[in-house]
Amino acid sequence: MKLIDGIHPYSRLGPMESLEGARMLEQKLSVLSNEVSNIKTPGFKRQRITFEEYFLKQVDATKRTAKGEVIKGDFSQGTLRETRNPFDFAIEGEGFFVVQTPSGIRYTRAGNFSLNAQNQLVTQEGYLVLGDGAPITLPDTTGKGIWLSSDGRFYVDETDTAGIDIVTFKNLNGLKRLGGNLWEQTQASGPPRPSETARVRQGFLEESNTNPLEAMINLVDLFREYEALQRTLKTQDELDSKSATEVGRVG
Amino acid sequence: MIRGLWSAASGMNSMQLNLDVIANNLANVNTVGFKRSRADFEDLLYQTIRMPGTDNADGTQVPTGMQIGMGSRPTAVQKIFTQGDYENTGNELDWAIEGRGFFKVISNGEELYTRAGAFKLDKDGFIVTSNGDRLQPEFAVPQGTQSITIDSYGLLTASDPSGNPLASVQLTIYDFPNPAGLFSVGRNLFRPTLASGDPIEGNPGTDNLGTIAQGFLEQSNVDVVKEMVSMIVTQRAYELNSKTVQTADEMLGIANNLKR
């Protein structure tokens, strides 16, 4: 967001504002296409882009404003889809799984895990999923299976073996998205704390919370806005050309 | 704009891969011992225009950053090793493993593993798969055998017409710490990898291995209805992404037309 500061009193702001608008719509399109592209990504949280107005320096009778965009995550619950796979987990409510990556602790809502050859619970990238702050090792079951209670304890053959950590943050919007279904804490998000409200479900995956209908409507809307901006620019251009060629013509 | 074009294109790619996986699952709906695959996706890198928690112009911390994603990509196509249904065939050489475990066969001198228990006899009397790979431990049925029986715990016996056993062997089956990490060779065969871990040998019905059911075959675990529903969803998602590509393209067109 660049404030156009120190505008010359006689500069014409119309075309500038139109261009500013076009740039923001392009930004909006990027956010939207990322959303529809991740329609099958488990635990994906879509983003919403909104615009804020800033007043610019008063240079003539009209109040001029510039717009700045704000991109916020929409952390609403995605649909839970039953997969019946014992190593698929979905979080109901606010929270993240804790994942140990080579570059440090990261967080994810995509619970499509598996076991590695050492019987540790890992993500599809092979990163360790943590429980009680340590990797979760699940010994082979002798037939009664591996069950996760809804408060996040693993029972292997009915013996309480390990827990799975679910954490949340003061300000979810402060988390940094890293791609690969991972999130990183920042100063703005605050430190992780155990989630009070989250429930884990085994054999389910949380689908992306992309809403195809809304995305489609947004897309149409955005396209028409873009067209309107183009009309405005053309009109401004015609006015300029009239004033240059016709106003002041004598005879 | 161009960014949006590529993000949506990556979405189309992901959906295309998803359809490939679904098509293979459906093609194997009647393959004995087949395990369905599932494609998993993740979001790509984000372009960080503003970090959350940085200071803005008047020195206050911004609570939200500004990050724009670049689309999606497939991360894994994993086999789901749930049990298929059993079909009662009544054939004495059709064996299903009820629970965990794989049969070991030798194919081209390599040890491979399978759950497809539709065995045959070759010309020398050895028990082989439909491709002629010998079941391990190798067992040749002696001359004059009338019937072959295998009990739930893997004791394989060949008997003559009067019911006297001619030869018998204890069949062992194999399990892996992480079956999803096995490499699919095709022809219903799996090869161990670093991710699957080493095979663990055992008798059927002991330490967590399944028992053997003679006269049954394990059907593929593909659920046709489920695959059909995924196919519909995939097609629509593909369409939606293509609409985004189109919109981005038309917007570029508009920008190009500003200068007549």
Side-chain angles (χ1 to χ4, degrees), chain A residues 7-90:
Chain A
I7 294 158
H8 191 269
Y10 300 111
S11 66
R12 302 193 52 256
L13 283 169
M16 265 178 156
E17 281 171 355
S18 300
L19 281 174
E20 186 78 349
R23 195 185 57 80
M24 273 187 260
L25 287 175
E26 285 167 20
Q27 204 89 303
K28 197 169 173 176
L29 178 74
S30 296
V31 171
L32 208 57
S33 41
N34 184 47
E35 181 187 326
V36 299
S37 153
N38 281 296
I39 197 163
K40 288 284 287 178
T41 303
F44 178 78
K45 297 292 169 217
R46 64 181 175 160
Q47 292 167 300
R48 289 229 173 98
I49 185 163
T50 48
F51 301 104
E52 288 177 347
E53 280 196 314
Y54 298 88
F55 281 116
L56 292 178
K57 273 209 180 91
Q58 191 112 359
V59 289
D60 49 20
T62 51
K63 274 218 162 87
R64 300 280 182 187
T65 59
K67 292 148 214 73
E69 60 273 57
V70 176
I71 302 180
K72 275 201 174 128
D74 165 5
F75 288 89
S76 60
Q77 182 77 37
T79 322
L80 294 195
R81 178 166 59 95
E82 186 168 15
T83 62
R84 299 219 182 113
N85 178 359
F87 297 119
D88 281 343
F89 304 95

Side-chain angles (χ1 to χ4, degrees), chain B residues 14-232:
Chain B
S14 294
M15 289 311 114
Q16 208 168 327
L17 180 118
N18 206 25
L19 186 70
D20 294 345
V21 173
I22 293 170
N24 182 47
N25 285 346
L26 284 173
N28 284 294
V29 71
N30 277 325
T31 305
V32 172
F34 178 80
K35 298 294 173 204
R36 70 188 177 91
S37 300
R38 181 183 82 191
D40 288 339
F41 300 96
E42 63 180 22
D43 44 3
L44 282 169
L45 286 176
Y46 281 76
Q47 198 179 15
T48 306
I49 297 169
R50 188 174 62 193
M51 261 298 280
T54 46
D55 296 344
N56 68 4
D58 48 20
T60 50
Q61 259 197 12
V62 292
T64 59
M66 203 189 304
Q67 294 196 279
I68 294 184
M70 297 295 191
S72 68
R73 68 164 198 163
T75 57
V77 176
Q78 55 166 331
K79 285 257 177 215
I80 309 285
F81 279 86
T82 53
Q83 194 79 51
D85 295 340
Y86 295 129
E87 187 197 3
N88 184 349
T89 62
N91 176 354
E92 61 182 9
L93 284 173
D94 284 346
W95 308 336
I97 299 178
E98 303 171 285
R100 292 182 68 122
F102 293 82
F103 298 109
K104 180 156 89 171
V105 299
I106 297 271
S107 173
N108 285 338
E110 187 186 15
E111 293 183 345
L112 296 174
Y113 298 84
T114 181
R115 278 188 69 94
F119 295 108
K120 319 274 185 290
L121 295 179
D122 68 3
K123 62 180 186 357
D124 306 319
F126 283 100
I127 295 182
V128 294
T129 66
S130 310
N131 291 315
D133 302 332
R134 285 185 190 174
L135 176 69
Q136 301 299 307
E138 277 186 10
F139 182 69
V141 174
Q143 285 288 325
T145 299
Q146 168 74 17
S147 68
I148 298 169
T149 52
I150 181 164
D151 70 2
S152 323
Y153 300 103
L155 186 67
L156 179 62
T157 316
S159 326
D160 68 4
S162 42
N164 301 318
L166 296 169
S168 76
V169 69
Q170 173 64 49
L171 180 81
T172 50
I173 56 176
Y174 300 80
D175 194 10
F176 295 89
N178 172 25
L182 289 167
F183 178 83
S184 306
V185 191
R187 309 193 307 281
N188 293 334
L189 298 171
F190 295 101
R191 177 185 298 143
T193 64
L194 283 177
S196 70
D198 289 333
I200 305 153
E201 188 177 13
N203 291 344
T206 59
D207 16 305
N208 184 27
L209 289 163
T211 49
I212 305 279
Q214 191 180 20
F216 286 87
L217 277 183
E218 186 186 7
Q219 296 298 306
S220 119
N221 68 352
V222 175
D223 177 347
V224 177
V225 176
K226 205 184 236 171
E227 298 296 333
M228 281 295 180
V229 172
S230 317
M231 200 192 305
I232 292 169

Side-chain angles (χ1 to χ4, degrees), chain B residues 231-245:
Chain B
M231 200 192 305
I232 292 169
V233 171
T234 305
Q235 183 187 353
R236 292 298 175 213
Y238 190 79
E239 212 172 345
L240 187 55
N241 279 293
S242 74
K243 284 271 190 300
T244 320
V245 171

